[in-house]
Amino acid sequence: MMHVVYPPHCLTCNAIVGTDGGLCADCWGRTPFLTGLRCDLCGVPLPGDDPTEIACCDDCLRIARPWSKGRAVLAYRDNGRRLVLSFKHGDRTELARAAGAWMAIAARDIRLPGQIVAPTPLHWRRLFKRRYNQAALLGARLASELELEHCPDLLKRHRFTGSQEGKGRDARFANLVDSISINPRQSVRVADRPVLLVDDVLTSGATLAACAEACYAAGATDVRVVALARVVKDG
């Protein structure tokens, strides 16, 4: 009866769809879901036809990734970028329900027993301005889908780093040095356990790298990552 009065609408164009949190056929076709062979460390698409093959992209061969496996759902362009920006800056927090479920599907093969899900943290100044941590909303949904423990405040960003936008790869990594650590109140929850880190967008990997290093320093046995969107180079 509820759907008769309030029919579900497409997440991006508001067209009527069959289920809550869905995309219409047109928007689905314009949303760049990452499929096929992908980098095992960051999720970027690679040439090849066998999605079960384990391969790494050029960036992950050049840059030491302090995590063991990584996945992403969307390419950060076209409707993928539109969805992320609406969620991140447009107060479209309801998008976390569908996006977190998509991330759970992408991350199902990197799930580990006893894994704890943790979002990348926001500095309190940015959290105050935005009012919510988008990575924590995604993490809550993903953890529920994968039946894992979620710890939204496992990590703490104790130094304001400003925006990473417009910075090159090296500058992004330098900007994150000594900025993220384990929340002292939650340190016992990470020791001797695997961690699944969650972020909305994976660009250079600097933020996730800082988070992974903090987890290992606190005694994590394994760190894996999943992002809603991956920045993909043209060509």
Side-chain angles (χ1 to χ4, degrees):
M1 178 61 71
M2 182 66 69
H3 281 175
V4 173
V5 181
Y6 302 105
H9 290 79
C10 173
L11 292 174
T12 55
C13 75
N14 216 34
I16 294 177
V17 294
T19 59
D20 288 319
L23 295 168
C24 69
D26 185 53
C27 289
W28 182 274
R30 292 186 291 106
T31 302
F33 288 97
L34 298 174
T35 60
L37 179 62
R38 287 156 288 171
C39 175
D40 195 47
L41 287 174
C42 74
V44 75
L46 296 171
D49 299 322
D50 183 2
T52 65
E53 180 183 349
I54 297 177
C56 290
C57 68
D58 290 343
D59 278 353
C60 290
L61 290 174
R62 286 194 300 265
I63 304 169
R65 302 295 195 191
W67 61 77
S68 63
K69 290 184 179 293
R71 300 290 184 265
V73 177
L74 309 167
Y76 187 63
R77 56 176 168 78
D78 305 328
N79 205 44
R81 184 174 185 273
R82 190 175 299 112
L83 281 166
V84 171
L85 292 179
S86 295
F87 174 49
K88 190 171 183 175
H89 300 298
D91 290 335
R92 294 283 309 280
T93 55
E94 77 278 6
L95 293 174
R97 180 179 179 185
W102 295 340
M103 293 173 74
I105 293 171
R108 200 167 296 279
D109 70 325
I110 61 171
R111 182 190 186 280
L112 293 172
Q115 206 169 37
I116 184 169
V117 176
T120 56
L122 291 179
H123 188 267
W124 68 265
R125 285 168 57 183
R126 179 156 293 167
L127 183 60
F128 179 80
K129 181 178 180 180
R130 190 174 294 165
R131 302 187 307 280
Y132 60 92
N133 179 354
Q134 68 279 358
L137 297 181
L138 293 171
R141 179 66 177 181
L142 179 144
S144 176
E145 292 279 340
L146 295 182
E147 299 182 330
L148 294 173
E149 180 182 348
H150 181 226
C151 186
D153 61 341
L154 182 69
L155 292 152
K156 184 177 181 180
R157 192 181 296 244
H158 47 78
R159 179 170 63 80
F160 185 67
T161 55
S163 174
Q164 292 278 67
E165 189 173 350
K167 291 183 172 67
R169 185 187 67 195
D170 293 344
R172 284 172 176 262
F173 277 87
N175 192 39
L176 270 294
V177 172
D178 297 329
S179 65
I180 295 174
S181 62
I182 293 293
N183 184 341
R185 294 178 300 175
Q186 303 292 0
S187 58
V188 296
R189 298 177 70 178
V190 70
D192 299 318
R193 294 182 66 180
V195 177
L196 180 59
L197 294 173
V198 178
D199 205 356
D200 57 345
V201 182
L202 197 168
T203 305
S204 66
T207 301
L208 286 166
C211 292
E213 289 166 354
C215 289
Y216 279 124
T221 56
D222 180 273
V223 178
R224 302 179 177 195
V225 306
V226 58
L228 174 57
R230 174 71 167 105
V231 172
V232 177
K233 296 176 182 177
D234 294 333

